[in-house]
């Protein structure tokens, strides 16, 4: 954080993520208020992950051909416009299909944002700085994730509708665009180190990941764990029907996850590099599953907050290790395309998991859906450890060379 452009990037992450988190909690509450259906919450995930899957290959190639800073700016502008569109829907009480249509556009924006924003810092830092930088940047993101849901819930409760929360989201994106101007402009280069002007192989990211068993194991672990074990999409149901804490309580529940993640990220900045990062990754995902099980069974608001705190803390260990592993293994000329594939494996697992959670809650109820997901996460850890034993044997991350 002593490096000026890292501080500016962290500030942009805070303001951008603050708006995104406010939008997420606001959309969930608005849809559940309108429909009273857990299924409607699951559809939010479908609307957002489908464009990412469909546009993954071109988005990754764009990030490897054009300045990533410029792409990041454009995606923040687009997301701000989407937030204003949702504010119009809330203010005019426009039909619900407009919400889903705008979420599809948000998914398109996210498809191009992920590979560009995620690969900005590795262009500007030395490999030995990756793990510490990832911990600090993750902590800045989680700081926004703590405040965002709580602020969104407060604005809904204070104004009686979702309009103000959406407008605040748009303002956050505008600030993020401004902070990106402070970053050095780095033009993409090819494997020979020359400025890249020709299209790359669209499938190079797939090829790289398929050939690297350690990284394939790490992202498969995260994909399956979040797919079966996520509970975030059902928090509006728990807040309203099970815990009875209303929109402000929903914001607090969402923030508890971020508080746990932020706390672990700050601790990670003070720790030496993991000596056995593979073991830490497996244990953290197992802890994520166990905390999810207890949350699903809880009827006490304080216990539920404690469980979500642990969910966030365990997830942050996984995030820092996985991000650093991706950055140290991937050559810069492939980072955009690898990050795009990673967005499908990891990023969209949240949206697919939201759809699965909504479907499971519709079929068996929210409690059984969450508890069963936590059990499934623990089983996933056991299966991954057995099928990819080399994951547990990886050396300290800063000692790994690009493949």
């Amino acid at each position: 954080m002593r490096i000026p452009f890292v501080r500016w990037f962290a500030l942009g992450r805070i303001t951008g993520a603050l708006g995104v988190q406010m939008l997420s909690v606001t959309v969930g509450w608005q849809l559940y208020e309108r429909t009273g259906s857990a299924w409607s919450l699951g559809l939010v995930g479908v609307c957002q992950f489908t464009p990412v899957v469909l546009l993954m290959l071109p988005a990754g190639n764009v990030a490897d051909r054009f300045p990533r800073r410029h792409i990041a700016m454009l995606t923040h502008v687009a997301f701000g416009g989407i937030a204003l569109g949702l504010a119009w829907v809330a203010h005019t009480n426009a039909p619900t299909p407009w919400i889903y249509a705008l979420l599809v556009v948000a998914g398109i924006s996210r498809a191009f944002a992920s590979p560009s924003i995620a690969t900005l810092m590795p262009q500007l830092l030395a490999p030995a700085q990756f793990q510490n930088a990832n911990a600090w940047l993750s902590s800045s993101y989680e700081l926004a994730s703590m405040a965002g849901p709580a602020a969104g819930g407060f604005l809904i409760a204070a104004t009686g509708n979702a309009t103000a929360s959406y407008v605040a989201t748009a303002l956050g994106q505008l600030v993020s665009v401004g902070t990106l101007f402070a970053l050095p402009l780095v033009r993409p280069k090819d494997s020979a180190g020359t400025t890249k002007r020709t299209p790359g192989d669209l499938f190079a990211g797939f090829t790289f990941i398929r050939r690297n068993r350690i990284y394939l194991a790490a992202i498969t672990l995260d994909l399956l764990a979040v797919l079966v074990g996520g509970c975030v999409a059902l928090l509006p149901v728990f807040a309203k029907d099970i815990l009875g804490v209303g929109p402000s309580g929903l914001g607090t529940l969402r923030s508890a996850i971020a508080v746990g993640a932020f706390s672990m990220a700050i601790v990670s900045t003070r720790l030496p590099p993991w000596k056995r990062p593979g073991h830490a990754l497996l244990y953290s995902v197992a802890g994520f599953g166990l905390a999810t099980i207890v949350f699903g069974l809880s009827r006490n608001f304080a216990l539920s907050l404690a469980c979500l705190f642990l969910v966030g803390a365990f997830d942050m260990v996984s995030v820092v290790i996985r991000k650093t592993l991706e950055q140290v293994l991937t050559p810069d000329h492939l980072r955009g395309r690898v990050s795009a594939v990673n967005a499908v494996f990891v990023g969209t697992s949240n949206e697919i998991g939201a759809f699965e959670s909504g479907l499971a809650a519709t079929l068996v109820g929210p409690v059984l859906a969450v508890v069963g997901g936590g059990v499934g996460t623990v089983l996933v850890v056991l299966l991954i450890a057995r099928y990819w034993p080399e994951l547990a044997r990886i050396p300290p991350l800063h000692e790994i060379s690009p493949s």
Side-chain angles (χ1 to χ4, degrees):
M1 294 297 287
R2 299 187 188 94
I3 304 172
F5 62 75
V6 176
R7 293 198 299 271
W8 280 110
F9 186 72
L11 176 61
R13 291 264 290 182
I14 290 174
T15 56
L18 184 69
V20 170
Q21 293 296 323
M22 291 177 67
L23 183 144
S24 178
V25 74
T26 305
V27 164
W29 184 262
Q30 185 181 18
L31 283 172
Y32 195 62
E33 280 288 284
R34 284 188 173 203
T35 66
S37 168
W39 173 252
S40 68
L41 301 177
L43 290 178
V44 172
V46 175
C47 291
Q48 293 189 78
F49 88 80
T50 302
V52 176
V53 173
L54 296 178
L55 295 173
M56 171 192 59
L57 295 179
N61 202 38
V62 165
D64 282 336
R65 291 188 61 202
F66 300 99
R68 293 163 185 166
R69 188 189 72 170
H70 292 353
I71 302 169
M73 289 179 179
L74 290 174
T75 58
H76 279 300
V77 170
F79 204 87
I82 293 160
L84 291 177
L86 288 167
W88 168 79
V89 172
H91 181 69
T92 62
N93 200 31
T96 299
W98 277 104
I99 298 177
Y100 291 114
L102 287 165
L103 291 176
V104 170
V105 181
I108 295 172
S109 174
R110 176 179 170 179
F112 287 91
S114 181
S116 59
I117 295 174
T119 55
L120 269 172
M121 283 297 103
Q123 287 185 314
L124 305 174
L125 296 172
Q129 297 172 309
F130 287 171
Q131 181 171 326
N132 190 267
N134 283 330
W136 276 113
L137 293 174
S138 295
S139 70
S140 68
Y141 179 87
E142 297 303 335
L143 182 64
S145 299
M146 287 188 291
F154 173 79
L155 286 173
I156 296 172
T159 63
N161 62 65
T163 305
S165 182
Y166 289 134
V167 172
T169 295
L171 292 175
Q173 304 310 303
L174 180 62
V175 174
S176 294
V177 172
T179 61
L180 288 172
F181 277 107
L183 271 64
L185 177 61
V186 179
R187 299 191 179 278
K189 296 180 180 180
D190 58 22
S191 57
T194 58
T195 301
K196 194 165 196 171
R197 299 182 182 276
T198 58
D201 178 6
L202 287 177
F203 297 95
F206 277 114
T207 302
F208 175 84
I209 292 175
R210 178 175 56 83
R211 291 176 177 173
N212 195 303
R213 283 180 56 86
I214 293 176
Y215 187 55
L216 178 61
I219 62 175
T220 302
L221 173 64
D222 187 89
L223 168 67
L224 295 178
V226 176
L227 180 63
V228 301
C231 61
V232 174
L234 296 179
L235 289 184
V237 181
F238 278 81
K240 183 176 183 180
D241 297 338
I242 296 176
L243 299 173
V245 292
S248 59
L250 170 62
T252 306
L253 288 171
R254 288 291 299 266
S255 296
I257 300 175
V259 172
F262 175 78
S263 302
M264 181 56 71
I266 292 297
V267 170
S268 297
T269 66
R270 312 310 303 167
L271 294 176
W274 295 100
K275 293 182 178 180
R276 304 179 74 180
H279 280 98
L281 182 61
L282 292 167
Y283 289 139
S284 66
V285 177
F288 175 93
L290 293 173
T292 300
I293 293 171
V294 180
F295 170 77
L297 296 173
S298 171
R299 296 296 179 272
N300 180 275
F301 186 53
L303 177 59
S304 297
L305 288 176
C307 291
L308 293 178
F309 176 92
L310 291 175
V311 165
F314 285 124
D315 186 54
M316 179 52 60
V317 175
S318 171
V319 167
V320 171
I321 293 174
R322 194 182 63 251
K323 281 186 178 180
T324 307
L325 187 63
E326 176 189 344
Q327 292 169 355
V328 298
L329 286 173
T330 311
D332 186 67
H333 69 280
L334 288 176
R335 283 198 173 112
R337 283 163 286 179
V338 171
S339 179
V341 178
N342 180 70
V344 173
F345 269 86
V346 177
T348 61
S349 62
N350 293 302
E351 280 68 42
I352 302 172
F355 173 74
E356 181 272 334
S357 295
L359 178 60
T362 301
L363 296 175
V364 301
V367 173
L368 189 56
V370 170
V371 173
V375 173
T377 298
V378 176
L379 294 177
V380 164
V381 173
L382 297 175
L383 290 173
I384 295 295
R386 181 176 178 83
Y387 187 76
W388 280 292
E390 60 267 42
L391 181 62
R393 297 194 296 266
I394 57 177
L397 298 175
H398 64 282
E399 296 181 2
I400 301 176
S401 301
S403 300

